[in-house]
Amino acid sequence: MKVSTSWLKDYVDLSGITPQELAEKMTDGGIEIDAVEPMDKGVAGVVVGYVKEKTKHPDADKLNVCKVDVGTGEDLQIVCGAPNVDAGQHVPVATVGAKLPGGLNIKRAKLRGVESQGMICSARELGLNDKLLPKELQEGILVLPKLELGRPIGEVLDLDTHVLELDLTPNRSDALSLLGVAYEVGALTGRPVKLPEQDVFAAAEKAADHLSVSVEAPELCSHYSARYIKGVNVAPSPLWLQNRLMAAGVRPINNIVDVTNYVMLEYGQPLHAFDADQVAGGSIVVRLAREGETLETLDGQQRTLQPHMLVIADRDKPVALAGVMGGANSEVTDETVNIVLESAKFDGSTVRRTSRQLGLRSESSLRFEKEVDPARVIPALDRAASLIARLGQGLVADGIVQEVVKAAEPIVITVGLDRINAYLGTEIAKLEIQTIFGRLGFGSEISADGSAVKVEVPTRRGDISRDVDLIEEVARLYGYDNIPTTPIHGDTTPGALTASQAIRRELRRRLSDAGLSEVINYSFTSPARTELFPALGGSSRPIRLAMPMSEDRSVLRTSLLPQLLETATYNRNRKNPDLAVFEIGTVFHTDEEALTALPHEKHRLAVLLTGALRGASWNRKAQKADFYDAKGVLESVFAALGLSGSVTYEADSPEHLHPGRTAAVKLHTELGEQTIGYVGQLHPEAQQAEDLDDTFVAEIDLDVLYDAADRSIVYRTLPRYPAAERDIAVTVDAGVPAAALTAAVKEAAGELLESVRVFDVYTGEKLGAGRKSVALSLVYRHPERTMTDEEVAGLHAKAVAELEQSFSAELRK
Amino acid sequence: MKERLEALRAEALQELEKVAGPQELGDLRIKYLGKKGALTEILRGMGALSAEERPVIGELANNVRGAIEAVLEEKGAAYRRAETDARLRTETIDVSLPGSRLPTGAIHPLVKVQQEIEDIFIGLGYSIAEGPEVETDYYNFEALNLPKNHPARDMQDSFYVTEDILMRTQTSPVQIRAMKASGGKTPLKVICPGKVYRRDDDDATHSFQFNQVEGLVVAKGIRMSDLKGTLLQFVQEMFGRQARIRLRPSFFPFTEPSAEVDVTCSQCGGSGCRMCKQTGWLEILGCGMVHPKVLEAGGYDPEEVSGFAFGMGIERIALLKYGIDDIRHFYTNDLRFLSQFARM
């Protein structure tokens, strides 16, 4: 909403307040002013002139030499290049010495050898926004109506004003009008509001003789009123009216349409004028559209109507989309003689739905959507009729033809004075509260016992419906700054992280301390990306957005990995080939074909390593990341969660991962074994597709870990008896997993084997093809005594025998 | 015997005087003082001495041993010193070369800021509530006093999945979930951080995915002044003791009264600069007293209790805190950007 201060002061006294001060006051009061624009961009010395003569420039095709009278008694010779300049026009003339916006000074000049004593100006040269002008005026000079010669242009074009741009919150639709803004300014400044003038109509002609109104959809139109105006002269509006419309950002059209727009801006009540002779039978019917009906709206578009849309129809056909836009079939044109003027209250949500569905938003629909003030239907109608009678020489027929379904009624709210202060933490006196309501123009009365105030809220403030709304009014006029700052009293509460929050935080800390950087990717991705990696937890049907912004971001991610690859590619393209990153985030999937309930949301941890884990330095070579680095990250995570003993890794070959370098991560709990993630190298083909070097990834489900995690640390006494260390080196088939060997050794040696560790793995020609050597280090210990050599030897022999038996292992000597 | 001892002393000292290195010094020790050394050799004749001579000769022998040992010790120490010196010389390194640092990764700046906010509120007795990112229309809008077709829904353009399921546009639905989960208990003090989604074209200050932190307090007798007090405490912990706040009336469907909150500009301290567009203030959050309808939706009686709520964008705070010029940096994950947040 744009409000010009010169217009606003018709309704409320602004003396002594600068536009900037006004803007600050309004912003502090809750209506944010986005901008304060002066209309006058520094124009001086520009006056109204009259083009007496136009002759072609002798040496330039596109230039004309004009003789211009600016009321000084001496004609000026001005060279003008505008295509629309012509003799007989009144035009703005920048005389010698004039100043134009942008620091342009007008001097006497010679144009192609012909002297020019000034310049005839276009709207843009005067600093006006010419987008609202007809095209020929945008491309040429501004042609004015007949005016007194020599008058300063600032006066003529109402440039001595500022335009405030209001950024209205949806609740303050009352300020979508000059009067509404005036009430707000009145409340903020304590000044009274002056209502516009209205004429009294007393014609012999009866409106009811020409017009009938019937509301067939009473629940969607609580009040419809119309007046009949006869014998209008459709013509351009006077300049003052055009100036005001343009300052508000509305395009002037003709005096009839302009008045309806003017009064809409003034009262916030949209109006519509029909060519009365195009309304068949003089009958106005407010009804729902019928199946298959169409209407060409004023913007020239053919609209197919749906049965839930409210229309204004005549005897035969729709003539307007109620509250949205008029129909071309009943448009006011230059030939129009008689008009029907409409003022009504249409249901906001119906207007909103219709305008949304048709993609047709207008100044009218914008206001109806937010519910107009029912008490202004008639005043706005009469105000517009007055102006049309004055400007269009029409005769306003006697009487309003209307159907009132529901009359406007102010609401009354009672609120306890203690309640106001208890809610705000203030001590505002009774009298001050009443003064505030008075300034707002609300009637108020203190109850007999003095404890409450009864407030009558005018219908223009439809946003106020209960006690807290009134408390807000008191608070904002009392000033939020004046509300004290207090600590909360009452019971205290302990603040803490939940277990899962604490785990995520701890993982982030540990991983970043270990050299991995955290990334955050978008939750939206492309359908193809969701199919890249194996599903965890069974179902993985992705969820598609109803209306995505692009196909690339049309589904919710089902894995964190695809976008981690994008992170890697992005960095690689920016010369960061060495990357160690992780993400903790949510993935989404559903078991349903079509979503009827909320989908599964799971927390995941994903890791990506590529390039060098540690860069080369003067004292060591770069350390390239490998599978065991990625696996090591997971092992550290599980160790931190107390789950080292419950997790195993099994060779696996899911799609897009290297079949020889990938493991499924299995968690073993009382509930059994489940796959909770993968760790592996990206498949060479995938690496190529993503334009990456060797890349190692891991992803695990965190939700299951929250439950499985053992966060209790229980101290074990330190060993009091010495351990016996023995090594075994065996050759086995290359395909035998080392973990199988260690597991077998543990099983065979029993409880007294404290630990077993792989300390060397070797393959080479000496061993023969398909064989490898694995060296294990075993530690034996008895908790209550020192073990004898014989005891250790006995256990150790069992371990060796097990390896020989189960894996055809050959002991290396 | 006496003469032989004296001669031994003279010979040994003379030889020690000319000793050429630690090896030779060792040899001389063996030669004179070793088990089969010269001194032992002489003392073997002690048995032949008279009882009177024995202590005299014994004392002399000890003197001779002492004298030789003293020189051996002195020379030995000198050699060891020299040896150590030589070793230290060869072991000398260039201490100006760079050290081998511990690996440094970084927590994402948005998470860093979120954790900082969480810690402030945990200190104030809040717990942290979380909710789904895919929400029902009911929790995201209706329970928050935003019925279908309400014009205020225009304030947020949403990503719908179905007619009734959408990506949450705000963390406010977690307020309702937290209230319901509490079963009407008071005081309820929670903050709700998380990702939210709005249909917005990405540019330097807009992102269709971003993060919010929502705060909610419900108890008997909560006042708007308590809200001001809480927010002042928060901004002073977040932006420093000198920070001040300013509340301006605003509108949110789920609070009444509602306010936008400005904090004194962290760049200029309030005197006006480019960052705050010369106003001295930066808008950082929205807040208000919980609307009675929202309390009802959460299972509380608005006649019995009251509450306040506030919400802020984590990106906005991070942009201000670190002076970041483009919100898109948070989601492109350029290592050169991320690694700047590895510090404390």
Side-chain angles (χ1 to χ4, degrees):
Chain A
M1 176 80 185
K2 288 178 170 177
V3 174
S4 144
T5 51
S6 65
W7 189 1
L8 183 61
K9 66 176 190 247
D10 281 4
Y11 316 105
V12 63
D13 180 14
L14 296 179
S15 56
I17 308 169
T18 68
Q20 279 70 24
E21 286 166 356
L22 181 63
E24 256 172 57
K25 257 188 204 308
M26 291 185 70
T27 299
D28 289 348
I31 293 182
E32 198 171 336
I33 306 299
D34 271 355
V36 182
E37 287 285 340
M39 284 294 276
D40 183 347
K41 303 282 199 303
V43 174
V46 182
V47 296
V48 176
Y50 178 73
V51 183
K52 286 169 107 174
E53 236 181 79
K54 178 182 91 166
T55 50
K56 277 244 154 278
H57 190 289
D59 296 320
D61 281 353
K62 290 188 176 164
L63 295 180
N64 289 299
V65 181
C66 303
K67 197 174 268 181
V68 183
D69 180 358
V70 291
T72 53
E74 206 170 310
D75 292 345
L76 302 176
Q77 174 174 293
I78 296 176
V79 178
C80 179
N84 65 333
V85 69
D86 212 345
Q89 287 172 336
H90 283 78
V91 292
V93 178
T95 54
V96 171
K99 288 187 164 59
L100 292 180
L104 186 64
N105 293 316
I106 302 301
K107 296 184 191 118
R108 201 177 289 267
K110 270 198 173 163
L111 288 163
R112 293 276 182 110
V114 176
E115 180 166 283
S116 185
Q117 301 163 304
M119 182 172 116
I120 304 178
C121 302
S122 69
R124 194 178 308 155
E125 282 158 348
L126 294 171
L128 297 177
N129 176 4
D130 63 359
K131 291 211 180 66
L132 301 170
L133 292 170
K135 198 150 193 252
E136 69 270 16
L137 291 190
Q138 287 182 35
E139 285 166 359
I141 52 158
L142 180 64
V143 179
L144 301 168
K146 188 174 178 208
L147 289 161
E148 187 194 329
L149 299 184
R151 257 182 86 183
I153 202 73
E155 219 177 286
V156 170
L157 295 177
D158 194 15
L159 294 183
D160 187 20
T161 185
H162 285 73
V163 175
L164 307 184
E165 214 161 302
L166 278 58
D167 182 8
L168 291 174
T169 51
N171 60 325
R172 293 305 303 274
S173 56
D174 62 295
L176 281 170
S177 66
L178 269 294
L179 268 177
V181 174
Y183 276 112
E184 175 73 8
V185 173
L188 295 168
T189 58
R191 297 179 184 186
V193 171
K194 291 170 280 184
L195 293 174
E197 294 165 23
Q198 302 212 346
D199 295 341
V200 180
F201 313 108
E205 191 100 30
K206 299 275 183 224
D209 293 343
H210 298 275
L211 196 61
S212 69
V213 164
S214 145
V215 178
E216 290 183 1
E219 66 285 358
L220 303 181
C221 175
S222 59
H223 188 177
Y224 192 98
S225 70
R227 274 191 178 275
Y228 186 79
I229 305 171
K230 203 178 154 183
V232 296
N233 176 22
V234 180
S237 297
L239 214 47
W240 66 264
L241 200 156
Q242 293 196 31
N243 290 338
R244 286 187 167 184
L245 289 183
M246 282 173 59
V250 175
R251 185 189 309 275
I253 294 171
N254 59 46
N255 51 3
I256 308 300
V257 175
D258 290 354
V259 165
T260 61
N261 284 330
Y262 183 83
V263 175
M264 173 183 73
L265 292 170
E266 196 173 40
Y267 281 82
Q269 168 66 45
L271 303 167
H272 185 63
F274 299 95
D275 184 328
D277 299 312
Q278 307 304 322
V279 176
S283 81
I284 295 274
V285 183
V286 184
R287 62 162 168 87
L288 289 170
R290 298 188 178 121
E291 195 76 58
E293 271 184 334
T294 60
L295 175 69
E296 185 188 334
T297 42
L298 285 174
D299 55 3
Q301 299 282 311
Q302 195 70 35
R303 311 277 177 179
T304 302
L305 308 181
Q306 291 172 32
H308 63 78
M309 295 177 175
L310 191 68
V311 298
I312 312 303
D314 63 10
R315 193 187 56 206
D316 309 325
K317 61 188 184 292
V319 289
L321 265 174
V324 181
M325 196 174 272
N329 54 14
S330 55
E331 183 179 3
V332 172
T333 66
D334 291 352
E335 280 76 48
T336 298
V337 181
N338 305 311
I339 60 168
V340 172
L341 188 62
E342 164 200 287
S343 181
K345 173 157 174 58
F346 301 117
D347 170 59
S349 56
T350 303
V351 170
R352 181 178 154 90
R353 197 166 158 209
T354 302
S355 94
R356 291 225 138 190
Q357 249 165 13
L358 297 175
L360 180 57
R361 308 198 77 179
S362 59
E363 290 285 330
S364 164
S365 71
L366 177 79
R367 287 174 173 79
F368 279 120
E369 271 182 15
K370 293 174 178 162
E371 304 294 351
V372 298
D373 177 4
R376 285 191 190 156
V377 170
I378 298 302
L381 179 69
D382 285 350
R383 168 72 169 159
S386 306
L387 287 171
I388 290 174
R390 281 191 227 168
L391 306 178
Q393 295 136 28
L395 176 76
V396 180
D398 182 44
I400 295 168
V401 183
Q402 62 178 327
E403 187 165 338
V404 184
V405 178
K406 190 166 165 273
E409 260 178 59
I411 64 162
V412 175
I413 304 168
T414 301
V415 55
L417 293 164
D418 285 353
R419 164 104 168 137
I420 296 176
N421 281 317
Y423 208 69
L424 298 175
T426 49
E427 286 168 13
I428 311 174
K430 206 185 294 183
L431 193 66
E432 194 172 353
I433 290 173
Q434 258 199 306
T435 305
I436 287 173
F437 289 130
R439 283 164 64 164
L440 286 162
F442 298 1
S444 73
E445 196 185 310
I446 303 287
S447 64
D449 65 355
S451 69
V453 57
K454 193 164 106 180
V455 182
E456 189 181 303
V457 182
T459 50
R460 63 183 157 84
R461 289 298 304 273
D463 59 313
I464 295 174
S465 62
R466 55 197 300 169
D467 60 352
V468 288
D469 301 326
L470 285 180
I471 292 175
E472 176 171 70
E473 292 300 301
V474 171
R476 71 186 187 90
L477 287 177
Y478 177 69
Y480 281 9
D481 280 348
N482 296 322
I483 295 172
T485 298
T486 57
I488 296 176
H489 51 70
D491 295 344
T492 56
T493 46
L497 296 172
T498 63
S500 91
Q501 289 159 356
I503 286 173
R504 270 172 284 155
R505 228 191 228 212
E506 182 68 10
L507 292 182
R508 287 187 161 106
R509 190 180 67 75
R510 284 174 184 252
L511 293 171
S512 61
D513 284 353
L516 283 80
S517 288
E518 184 179 21
V519 303
I520 298 180
N521 276 301
Y522 293 126
S523 301
F524 300 165
T525 186
S526 71
R529 303 296 279 175
T530 63
E531 287 160 15
L532 220 49
F533 293 105
L536 285 177
S539 65
S540 83
R541 203 167 278 140
I543 291 133
R544 191 179 167 82
L545 299 176
M547 279 196 299
M549 294 207 294
S550 69
E551 195 56 20
D552 277 355
R553 290 177 186 160
S554 59
V555 296
L556 302 190
R557 59 183 177 180
T558 54
S559 161
L560 303 181
L561 291 180
Q563 282 152 305
L564 272 194
L565 298 182
E566 287 166 24
T567 299
T569 308
Y570 182 93
N571 276 286
R572 191 191 138 90
N573 293 342
R574 277 155 192 79
K575 305 263 182 283
N576 310 326
D578 306 324
L579 211 60
V581 293
F582 72 97
E583 179 167 8
I584 290 177
T586 309
V587 299
F588 309 82
H589 58 258
T590 178
D591 311 318
E592 294 185 300
E593 195 80 51
L595 209 60
T596 61
L598 291 185
H600 304 294
E601 294 190 17
K602 297 283 182 199
H603 287 145
R604 294 269 180 87
L605 163 67
V607 173
L608 179 146
L609 308 175
T610 185
L613 212 50
R614 288 185 87 154
S617 174
W618 63 272
N619 56 350
R620 60 182 144 73
K621 289 205 175 89
Q623 183 197 340
K624 287 282 249 182
D626 65 18
F627 171 85
Y628 298 104
D629 291 319
K631 183 178 175 184
V633 171
L634 293 190
E635 285 176 341
S636 302
V637 165
F638 294 127
L641 297 175
L643 291 172
S644 284
S646 317
V647 175
T648 57
Y649 303 83
E650 285 171 27
D652 201 347
S653 53
E655 246 191 305
H656 297 108
L657 293 174
H658 191 306
R661 294 185 173 181
T662 297
V665 182
K666 311 249 176 180
L667 178 71
H668 305 263
T669 62
E670 292 152 2
L671 305 169
E673 174 198 288
Q674 59 177 317
T675 300
I676 59 160
Y678 291 91
V679 52
Q681 181 175 348
L682 199 55
H683 195 287
E685 286 166 8
Q687 283 181 182
Q688 205 175 6
E690 304 286 338
D691 196 19
L692 289 170
D693 283 338
D694 284 0
T695 299
F696 303 89
V697 294
E699 180 170 36
I700 53 171
D701 192 343
L702 288 181
D703 287 75
V704 294
L705 300 185
Y706 299 151
D707 296 331
D710 180 2
R711 298 178 70 212
S712 58
I713 294 176
V714 180
Y715 163 77
R716 275 169 306 161
T717 47
L718 300 181
R720 293 165 61 194
Y721 299 94
E725 291 178 31
R726 299 287 186 278
D727 292 347
I728 307 177
V730 291
T731 59
V732 290
D733 274 350
V736 174
L741 301 180
T742 52
V745 162
K746 270 188 203 163
E747 182 71 30
E751 281 182 356
L752 296 179
L753 177 67
E754 189 179 73
S755 71
V756 53
R757 179 174 68 87
V758 178
F759 72 90
D760 189 41
V761 177
Y762 167 78
T763 52
E765 275 174 34
K766 252 179 20 187
L767 300 174
R771 299 286 288 176
K772 68 177 172 186
S773 156
V774 179
L776 306 175
S777 166
L778 291 75
V779 177
Y780 298 92
R781 193 198 303 269
H782 195 290
E784 275 140 28
R785 57 183 171 76
T786 305
M787 290 174 80
T788 63
D789 280 353
E790 292 70 34
E791 269 181 309
V792 174
L795 291 177
H796 201 64
K798 271 195 202 171
V800 172
E802 174 63 25
L803 293 181
E804 285 169 341
Q805 206 159 24
S806 298
F807 302 98
S808 313
E810 288 169 32
L811 201 61
R812 299 186 74 202
K813 300 278 161 34
Chain B
M1 203 160 180
K2 197 176 169 186
E3 294 74 32
R4 283 177 67 197
L5 282 170
E6 290 295 352
L8 182 71
R9 179 188 348 225
E11 184 198 329
L13 291 181
Q14 195 182 1
E15 223 172 327
L16 277 171
E17 194 60 39
K18 295 184 293 187
V19 73
Q23 178 65 44
E24 204 182 322
L25 191 69
D27 293 346
L28 289 178
R29 174 185 286 279
I30 293 163
K31 179 177 171 190
Y32 291 107
L33 302 182
K35 274 186 184 160
K36 291 175 185 168
L39 187 62
T40 318
E41 190 64 30
I42 294 170
L43 293 180
R44 233 174 240 149
M46 284 280 276
L49 294 179
S50 67
E52 296 83 45
E53 270 179 322
R54 223 174 265 169
V56 179
I57 294 299
E59 198 190 339
L60 179 63
N62 278 340
N63 282 344
V64 169
R65 175 183 288 273
I68 296 171
E69 261 177 357
V71 175
L72 276 170
E73 204 48 51
E74 182 196 326
K75 293 262 173 194
Y79 283 127
R80 281 195 300 277
R81 213 160 34 240
E83 198 178 342
T84 306
D85 284 349
R87 175 174 167 198
L88 292 179
R89 264 194 307 280
T90 62
E91 284 178 359
T92 295
I93 56 167
D94 178 357
V95 296
S96 73
L97 281 168
S100 309
R101 289 196 196 186
L102 296 175
T104 42
I107 289 179
H108 194 282
L110 292 177
V111 174
K112 220 170 146 72
V113 170
Q114 181 182 321
Q115 290 184 350
E116 201 174 329
I117 295 169
E118 286 173 356
D119 288 343
I120 292 170
F121 283 103
I122 287 173
L124 295 174
Y126 288 64
S127 38
I128 298 172
E130 292 171 293
E133 293 174 32
V134 183
E135 257 299 2
T136 60
D137 189 271
Y138 173 77
Y139 279 107
N140 194 72
F141 287 129
E142 278 185 57
L144 292 163
N145 194 26
L146 266 152
K148 285 214 159 93
N149 274 321
H150 192 289
R153 284 201 181 190
D154 286 353
M155 290 166 97
Q156 305 169 4
D157 229 338
S158 327
F159 287 107
Y160 275 89
V161 176
T162 70
E163 204 154 301
D164 273 314
I165 296 175
L166 73 160
M167 303 307 296
R168 66 177 175 194
T169 59
Q170 45 195 355
T171 41
S172 313
V174 188
Q175 285 186 23
I176 305 288
R177 291 182 177 275
M179 280 192 274
K180 284 192 167 177
S182 82
K185 270 206 289 282
T186 59
L188 173 67
K189 290 163 91 177
V190 291
I191 60 163
C192 326
K195 288 180 185 140
V196 300
Y197 306 84
R198 290 184 197 175
R199 186 177 289 278
D200 224 335
D201 287 325
D202 288 2
D203 61 27
T205 55
H206 294 87
S207 173
F208 70 88
Q209 170 177 321
F210 59 103
N211 290 266
Q212 286 188 331
V213 177
E214 193 88 4
L216 172 72
V217 171
V218 179
K220 268 190 204 304
I222 291 293
R223 305 160 296 177
M224 194 156 167
S225 57
D226 301 335
L227 168 61
K228 280 184 80 173
T230 301
L231 294 177
L232 182 62
Q233 200 165 354
F234 164 68
V235 301
Q236 292 193 338
E237 298 217 18
M238 192 79 200
F239 297 103
R241 288 286 141 201
Q242 74 295 337
R244 293 287 172 271
I245 54 168
R246 173 176 84 170
L247 272 66
R248 287 176 290 112
S250 188
F251 169 76
F252 305 106
F254 29 90
T255 50
E256 188 83 15
S258 303
E260 302 261 19
V261 181
D262 299 335
V263 62
T264 37
C265 178
S266 48
Q267 188 101 340
C268 62
S271 58
C273 68
R274 234 187 54 169
M275 185 153 109
C276 59
K277 295 186 186 123
Q278 308 304 328
T279 61
W281 296 97
L282 296 167
E283 188 180 320
I284 55 154
L285 52 83
C287 66
M289 297 296 286
V290 182
H291 197 284
K293 284 187 186 168
V294 174
L295 287 173
E296 277 164 12
Y300 287 89
D301 179 355
E303 299 297 319
E304 289 292 313
V305 300
S306 54
F308 65 70
F310 54 86
M312 66 193 104
I314 296 179
E315 277 81 352
R316 168 96 180 137
I317 306 251
L319 290 174
L320 295 177
K321 193 176 163 68
Y322 301 121
I324 296 166
D325 55 2
D326 193 325
I327 197 169
R328 286 167 294 199
H329 285 315
F330 292 125
Y331 295 97
T332 48
N333 300 312
D334 191 317
L335 201 65
R336 295 166 300 178
F337 173 77
L338 297 174
S339 58
Q340 294 180 36
F341 302 94
R343 287 174 40 195
M344 282 175 72

